[in-house]
């Protein structure tokens, strides 16, 4: 083999080796890219799972969380000067304590995301309003509700929609009237809960139920005035209709009397005309 041939073979062999090395590098780079992509996807999945878990189970701000017996969490937000109900309570919470705060109302669906809640303490606040559907979503789980020592005056049955829990309603300035009496017929709370409604004021005042547990006074009827008003209104309406009927009858009789008089006068006038006609006939005959 000549020197030229040897150089040519060496050159070809070098190019083949370079091509093989380039192909190997490209293959390794492809494997590395796939590995990096898979690692990123796995990392993202783990991060998302952690975030969802953290959002579902982390404790609410300004509150203290602990594990409840039998699973779930107990969230204590007592005496934190809260003016609104926290929206970040973990959804696996079983007990929530919001007592001794500055809450003034409970909005609709305030606890709708807590399907495992069995106890809710809202005592010793300034709550004066419970919006309709305030405890919606807790009907199948909640066992005890504490609303004592607040500023509740009027009882809103729609706030306790579907709720069958035992409730503490004591130490509120309840106003007892016919609306309260009727509202008690539309709630499913345990009966003993309603004994906590002690009247501070009443309407009508002469019923003298101040300081009494309304449910324990079965002889008290706060709707008696409304019933009397309804009876009077019915009597007035009936009297009005009766007056209209009598007036129509009188008018009808008088109108008929006038027609009868005119008809009678017409009938009386008929014989005189006939006599005049006979007289004219007699004169004609004589002539």
């Amino acid at each position: 083999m000549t020197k030229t041939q040897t150089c040519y073979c060496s050159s070809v062999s070098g190019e083949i080796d370079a091509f093989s090395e380039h192909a190997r590098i490209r293959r390794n780079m492809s494997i590395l890219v796939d590995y990096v992509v898979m690692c990123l996807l796995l990392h993202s999945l783990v991060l998302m799972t952690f975030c969802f878990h953290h959002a579902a189970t982390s404790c609410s701000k300004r509150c203290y969380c602990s594990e409840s017996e039998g699973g779930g969490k107990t969230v204590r937000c007592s005496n934190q000067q809260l003016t609104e109900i926290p929206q970040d309570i973990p959804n696996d919470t079983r007990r929530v304590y919001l007592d001794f705060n500055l809450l003034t109302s409970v909005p609709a669906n305030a606890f709708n995301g807590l399907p495992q809640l069995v106890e809710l303490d809202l005592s010793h606040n300034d709550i004066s309003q419970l919006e309709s559907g305030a405890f919606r979503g807790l009907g199948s789980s909640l066992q005890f509700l504490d609303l004592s020592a607040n500023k509740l005056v009027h009882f809103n049955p729609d706030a306790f929609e579907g709720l069958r829990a035992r409730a503490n309603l004591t130490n509120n300035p309840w106003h007892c009237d016919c609306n309260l009496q009727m509202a008690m017929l539309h709630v499913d709370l345990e009966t003993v809960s309603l004994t906590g409604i002690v009247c501070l004021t009443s309407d009508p005042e002469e019923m003298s139920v101040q300081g009494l547990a309304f449910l324990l006074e079965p002889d008290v009827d706060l709707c008696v005035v409304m019933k009397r008003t309804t009876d009077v209104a019915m009597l007035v309406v009936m009297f009005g209709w009766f007056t209209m009927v009598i007036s129509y009858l009188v008018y009808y009789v008088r109108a008929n009397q006038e027609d009868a008089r005119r008809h009678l006068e017409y009938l009386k006038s008929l014989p005189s005309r006939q006599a005049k006609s006979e007289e004219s006939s007699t004169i004609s005959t004589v002539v």
Side-chain angles (χ1 to χ4, degrees):
M1 180 179 296
T2 63
K3 185 176 182 180
T4 302
Q5 291 177 334
T6 301
C7 292
Y8 176 76
C9 290
S10 298
S11 176
V12 172
S13 178
E15 290 179 359
I16 293 174
D17 291 340
F19 179 79
S20 299
E21 181 66 18
H22 181 69
R24 184 179 64 81
I25 291 174
R26 289 186 61 184
R27 184 171 60 254
N28 290 340
M29 287 294 294
S30 178
I31 294 174
L32 180 62
V33 169
D34 293 341
Y35 177 76
V36 171
V37 171
M38 291 182 63
C39 288
L40 290 175
L41 290 175
L42 182 62
H43 181 268
S44 300
L45 181 61
V46 172
L47 183 61
M48 290 176 61
T49 303
F50 174 77
C51 290
F52 282 124
H53 178 75
H54 179 75
T57 61
S58 61
C59 192
S60 177
K61 296 178 181 179
R62 301 175 65 181
C63 299
Y64 169 74
C65 293
S66 61
E67 293 297 325
S68 299
E69 296 181 3
K73 282 184 171 58
T74 295
V75 179
R76 299 184 182 277
C77 308
S78 305
N79 200 19
Q80 294 296 315
Q81 306 297 309
L82 297 176
T83 58
E84 295 181 352
I85 295 174
Q87 299 297 310
D88 54 351
I89 298 176
N91 56 15
D92 63 340
T93 299
R94 292 180 60 82
R95 292 175 176 82
V96 174
Y97 297 94
L98 290 163
D99 50 317
F100 292 98
N101 281 292
L102 303 175
L103 303 176
T104 58
S105 65
V106 180
N109 303 310
F111 305 97
N112 199 25
L114 306 175
Q116 302 180 34
L117 194 65
V118 297
E119 182 178 352
L120 176 59
D121 189 349
L122 293 167
S123 64
H124 297 90
N125 279 279
D126 296 324
I127 299 174
S128 60
Q129 180 183 12
L130 299 175
E131 294 185 6
S132 299
F135 305 107
R136 184 178 293 129
L138 302 180
S140 60
S141 62
L142 195 66
Q143 300 176 8
F144 180 70
L145 171 64
D146 195 345
L147 285 167
S148 62
N150 277 287
K151 296 181 179 180
L152 294 171
V153 176
H154 300 287
F155 187 86
N156 181 10
D158 295 332
F160 302 91
E161 173 188 341
L163 208 60
R164 297 177 175 82
R166 179 168 57 91
N168 183 0
L169 302 173
T170 59
N171 296 322
N172 282 285
W174 293 109
H175 176 70
C176 297
D177 56 7
C178 185
N179 292 328
L180 172 64
Q181 181 173 320
M182 299 302 295
M184 287 187 173
L185 303 176
H186 302 284
V187 293
D188 297 322
L189 294 172
E190 289 188 11
T191 305
V192 68
S193 304
L194 301 178
T195 60
I197 298 180
V198 177
C199 305
L200 179 66
T201 58
S202 67
D203 183 22
E205 296 181 358
E206 59 268 19
M207 298 303 294
S208 300
V209 294
Q210 289 85 349
L212 301 178
F214 178 71
L215 193 66
L216 301 179
E217 302 295 329
D219 297 331
V220 175
D221 187 1
L222 295 176
C223 295
V224 63
V225 174
M226 183 176 293
K227 292 176 181 177
R228 290 175 182 172
T229 304
T230 303
D231 293 342
V232 171
M234 289 295 296
L235 288 175
V236 171
V237 172
M238 291 177 64
F239 179 77
W241 278 105
F242 182 74
T243 303
M244 290 178 62
V245 171
I246 295 300
S247 300
Y248 176 76
L249 289 175
V250 171
Y251 170 79
Y252 180 78
V253 170
R254 288 182 177 179
N256 286 343
Q257 284 181 343
E258 183 68 20
D259 290 341
R261 186 183 62 80
R262 290 176 181 175
H263 185 67
L264 183 60
E265 290 179 353
Y266 172 75
L267 292 177
K268 288 180 179 179
S269 66
L270 290 178
S272 61
R273 291 181 179 178
Q274 185 176 2
K276 290 182 179 178
S277 177
E278 290 178 353
E279 184 179 355
S280 298
S281 300
T282 302
I283 295 173
S284 298
T285 304
V286 172
V287 174

